[in-house]
Amino acid sequence: MVNNPHFRKPSYHPPGTAPGTYDIARTRATPPGHIEVIEYDAEHYQKLDGLLAVSAEQSLACRWIQIDGPPSLDVLETVRQRYGIDPLVLEDIVNQGQRPKFNDYGDGIFLTLSVPGAEALTAEGIGVYRQISLYLMDTVLITFMEQESRLFDLLEERLKRAGGRLRRQPVHFLAHALIDLAIDTLFPLIDATAERLEELETDIIERPSEDMLLETHTFRSRLLVLRRIAWATRELVNAFRRHAEDVTDGSLRPYLEDAYDHIVSAIDLIEIQRDIATNLVEVYMSVLSNRMNEVIRLLTIIATLFIPPTFLVGLYGMNFDPAAGPFSMPELALPFGYLAVLFVILASMIGMIFFFRRRGWLGRRRS
């Protein structure tokens, strides 16, 4: 696999650390990030900021707590004490780079999602992914975003609209919207990869280079990571679909079926792009092989053209004395012998060139 510095490596605690450890030097040194608390029901919507809003009593049917940026120890302790979150969940939130997954802790479910970073559509950052952590309870959804982002702005606008579907439904519908959002962010990345692979295919056929081969290998590696994320997200959607059947009376089923169809479509596109990237390596090797064959054929034709001249020059370079007898190369004494040899050499070469072209060995025969 081509080494790519943009691939995200998960962070871990040192070996031997107790499970559920989140009180570490990094969280103690991290300042509180941006915190928003949104409460809503079918008729009301309110938005609060700051850590104190997390501890405040819930006044409306649904609550969405957004924590953007690396979480500080104070934030983690506040949400743990307020909502009884298992330390194992907080550990996975602190250790970014988790694969998409679904864990049921009884009082709440924990989900992690991977979304392409803001720089993912650039050539340099196409392998960068960000983690979104969700903790879902009966009426509360807590989201942890690795860094501040405007990814949720559209969902907030939907929540602000009175009478909207999200406002009328349980908070599980908001969790579905976030899952669907994470799935939808994969498609622009897939499309950008497809466009670049098409450009690479044209460039490889016309002017192959080692840089193109390295870029193709890089795309294969990136698609492998994207494939793992998509398959893990598919498992997450399946697990959440089974969980939602018990808490939403089946009303969420059509939307989760739609999300499942989306992730399956994404997987199909990723598999197609992986096949294309693999075929591009074969195309590259085939084009190089064909070009090498062309060079060898041209050199062979050039060497063949000089076989008759070499033979004639070698024959008449033996320096026999024509005066020694009738069989001692008498043609060496002819006044036009030199011109005759040159004519024969030229005629033989022209005849061979004409023969090679007729057989299609020299140049391209046009229909």
Side-chain angles (χ1 to χ4, degrees), residues 208-265:
S209 67
E210 290 186 3
D211 290 340
M212 296 177 187
L213 180 61
L214 291 176
E215 186 175 358
T216 302
H217 278 296
T218 300
F219 271 105
R220 290 178 62 188
S221 301
R222 292 167 176 171
L223 286 167
L224 178 60
V225 174
L226 185 57
R227 178 179 181 271
R228 291 173 178 172
I229 290 175
W231 276 97
T233 304
R234 178 184 175 182
E235 296 174 5
L236 180 150
V237 173
N238 264 331
F240 186 62
R241 182 170 55 177
R242 291 190 296 268
H243 171 82
E245 288 289 333
D246 300 328
V247 297
T248 61
D249 298 327
S251 58
L252 189 55
R253 181 191 306 166
Y255 302 101
L256 289 175
E257 291 288 349
D258 182 67
Y260 183 82
D261 290 340
H262 288 177
I263 192 60
V264 169
S265 298

Side-chain angles (χ1 to χ4, degrees), residues 1-193:
M1 179 179 291
V2 178
N3 183 26
N4 189 333
H6 300 290
F7 285 154
R8 179 68 179 275
K9 296 180 180 180
S11 56
Y12 299 101
H13 293 317
T17 303
T21 299
Y22 60 90
D23 184 356
I24 57 177
R26 175 157 46 91
T27 58
R28 289 193 294 269
T30 301
H34 181 67
I35 300 175
E36 291 183 352
V37 177
I38 297 175
E39 294 187 354
Y40 63 92
D41 57 24
E43 299 179 356
H44 304 91
Y45 173 92
Q46 65 179 13
K47 185 175 182 179
L48 306 172
D49 295 328
L51 187 58
L52 292 178
V54 176
S55 302
E57 290 296 327
Q58 182 174 340
S59 59
L60 297 178
C62 298
R63 169 178 278 196
W64 179 17
I65 302 174
Q66 298 183 47
I67 302 174
D68 294 339
S72 66
L73 182 59
D74 290 341
V75 172
L76 295 174
E77 286 290 352
T78 298
V79 296
R80 185 185 68 83
Q81 295 173 8
R82 175 69 175 83
Y83 296 104
I85 299 178
D86 194 293
L88 291 174
V89 173
L90 301 180
E91 179 185 18
D92 286 343
I93 293 172
V94 170
N95 292 329
Q96 297 290 323
Q98 304 290 326
R99 68 188 292 272
K101 63 181 180 179
F102 174 98
N103 295 118
D104 192 344
Y105 287 91
D107 293 336
I109 60 172
F110 177 63
L111 306 92
T112 58
L113 300 167
S114 294
V115 297
E119 66 274 40
L121 294 180
T122 65
E124 294 78 12
I126 199 168
V128 178
Y129 296 90
R130 305 299 182 193
Q131 176 176 319
I132 303 177
S133 303
L134 288 72
Y135 192 77
L136 176 63
M137 292 167 281
D138 291 338
T139 62
V140 178
L141 174 64
I142 307 175
T143 58
F144 294 83
M145 190 70 175
E146 183 177 350
Q147 58 183 212
E148 291 192 27
S149 170
R150 304 186 64 86
L151 186 64
F152 299 153
D153 286 359
L154 183 59
L155 287 181
E156 291 189 27
E157 292 298 324
R158 291 170 59 185
L159 283 175
K160 290 178 181 178
R161 292 198 296 266
R165 179 174 56 83
L166 284 179
R167 291 272 292 271
R168 301 192 309 268
Q169 301 293 348
V171 74
H172 290 74
F173 280 77
L174 179 59
H176 155 264
L178 291 171
I179 295 173
D180 193 55
L181 174 64
I183 294 173
D184 289 343
T185 58
L186 300 179
F187 287 98
L189 184 58
I190 296 173
D191 292 341
T193 303

